[in-house]
Amino acid sequence: MSTHPFIDPQRPRARIKPLTAMSRMKRLIADKEDTEQVFHIIEALNGRMTQQNLIQFASAPKGAKRLAERRYLPPFLDDHDWIRALPEGTVGRAYVDFMEREGLTAQGLVEESEKFRSKLSAFDDDLTWFINRQRDTHDLFHVLSGYGRDALGEASLLAFSHGQNPSRGILFIAFMASRELQKVLPRQADVMACYREGKRNGAAASRIVEEDILALLKEPLQAARERLGIAKPVAYRQALKVCADAGIGAHDINPAAA
């Protein structure tokens, strides 16, 4: 099964803008919660990579099925009542616990992306749907990969995301954030080992974006990780331990302190 994705021919040619990316990166380093900057950086650096990822997605049997369904995920992910009814230990229960603990919603990330509605994302085509699906599964990636929302966890998760769906913009953010963290965290934390581990774990795992997300939420978390081939974030956990031993809590990790 394969599907030829529709990419609106009126879309302007994607251009790489490194100076824009660097400017936006400085803002993101200053405030890791300024999620809007992520979308600007991706646009500035990805060129045609996102289109290529969509074509690869559509050529895979699972991806073609997801594209045919064209399901919009935020309403399902933010309906915590049905997810709470799932058995304890499932992906869904872990996801709801994570989102509520961190004060997050899927719609919140949608609203952040809506602040960035460039001419490249104003088309109702399969490329926009695919971009949105990657956005809407970001926090699920946290749960499945084991990377937290501290600055080191976010940087490592972005490296993981690049391994899943190659993106110059995502990789640039992951590398630059890791380099900044390297300046402020203990040397023994080995920040760049976390960055490399994220890339490696993401590339080795099955592509989560191709999964039936609602079915995935019903699976036991550990079984889902094993089925998808998601390795444990060993270097990241060791880095958190080193930081904790140095009196640095996970949410105290901040590249802006450099």
Side-chain angles (χ1 to χ4, degrees):
M1 179 179 180
S2 64
T3 300
H4 295 291
F6 170 62
I7 300 175
D8 196 312
Q10 297 303 311
R11 280 182 177 269
R13 182 179 178 182
R15 298 184 182 278
I16 296 175
K17 298 171 283 188
L19 294 180
T20 297
M22 185 60 74
S23 172
R24 297 290 181 173
M25 188 67 215
K26 289 178 181 177
R27 297 188 196 184
L28 184 60
I29 287 172
D31 178 9
K32 81 176 183 70
E33 300 296 338
D34 188 5
T35 311
E36 179 190 351
Q37 302 310 321
V38 171
F39 302 104
H40 287 285
I41 295 167
I42 292 171
E43 182 198 43
L45 292 181
N46 266 21
R48 290 186 52 81
M49 290 187 81
T50 307
Q51 290 94 319
Q52 291 164 356
N53 286 340
L54 170 60
I55 292 167
Q56 180 182 353
F57 173 87
S59 69
K62 286 185 178 180
K65 188 172 183 180
R66 303 290 86 82
L67 191 56
E69 295 167 347
R70 232 172 180 264
R71 180 175 285 146
Y72 181 62
L73 293 172
F76 296 97
L77 294 175
D78 280 342
D79 183 358
H80 289 188
D81 288 342
W82 84 266
I83 302 176
R84 277 269 173 230
L86 295 173
E88 187 174 350
T90 56
V91 175
R93 287 287 292 273
Y95 174 78
V96 166
D97 288 344
F98 173 82
M99 297 297 279
E100 293 183 354
R101 182 175 65 249
E102 297 293 337
L104 301 171
T105 64
Q107 182 59 31
L109 196 52
V110 172
E111 291 168 3
E112 284 296 317
S113 71
E114 289 295 335
K115 295 176 183 177
F116 164 81
R117 284 285 100 175
S118 76
K119 60 185 180 181
L120 294 185
S121 57
F123 297 92
D124 185 20
D125 60 6
D126 290 336
L127 183 57
T128 292
W129 174 86
F130 181 65
I131 291 168
N132 289 344
R133 186 174 178 85
Q134 291 179 292
R135 173 199 66 198
D136 299 334
T137 52
H138 172 80
D139 290 313
L140 186 59
F141 273 38
H142 273 293
V143 172
L144 289 166
S145 69
Y147 291 114
R149 282 197 75 241
D150 57 278
L152 180 59
E154 289 285 8
S156 301
L157 181 71
L158 289 175
F160 179 97
S161 298
H162 167 77
Q164 287 270 298
N165 303 288
S167 163
R168 270 189 298 268
I170 291 293
L171 190 63
F172 174 71
I173 297 169
F175 177 79
M176 292 296 291
S178 298
R179 195 175 72 169
E180 291 299 312
L181 286 166
Q182 199 174 29
K183 298 176 184 178
V184 297
L185 297 184
R187 181 177 57 82
Q188 294 84 352
D190 201 348
V191 171
M192 298 313 292
C194 299
Y195 165 80
R196 292 189 296 271
E197 176 185 70
K199 285 176 62 179
R200 184 170 62 250
N201 287 1
S206 298
R207 298 184 79 200
I208 298 166
V209 73
E210 295 177 6
E211 294 293 311
D212 179 340
I213 299 302
L214 301 190
L216 178 59
L217 292 173
K218 299 174 184 178
E219 290 187 48
L221 177 57
Q222 288 307 125
R225 286 171 170 164
E226 291 174 9
R227 178 177 68 81
L228 295 168
I230 301 174
K232 293 179 180 179
V234 177
Y236 168 67
R237 291 177 182 174
Q238 177 61 24
L240 290 185
K241 183 180 183 303
V242 168
C243 290
D245 290 345
I248 304 169
H251 288 284
D252 297 323
I253 298 172
N254 182 9

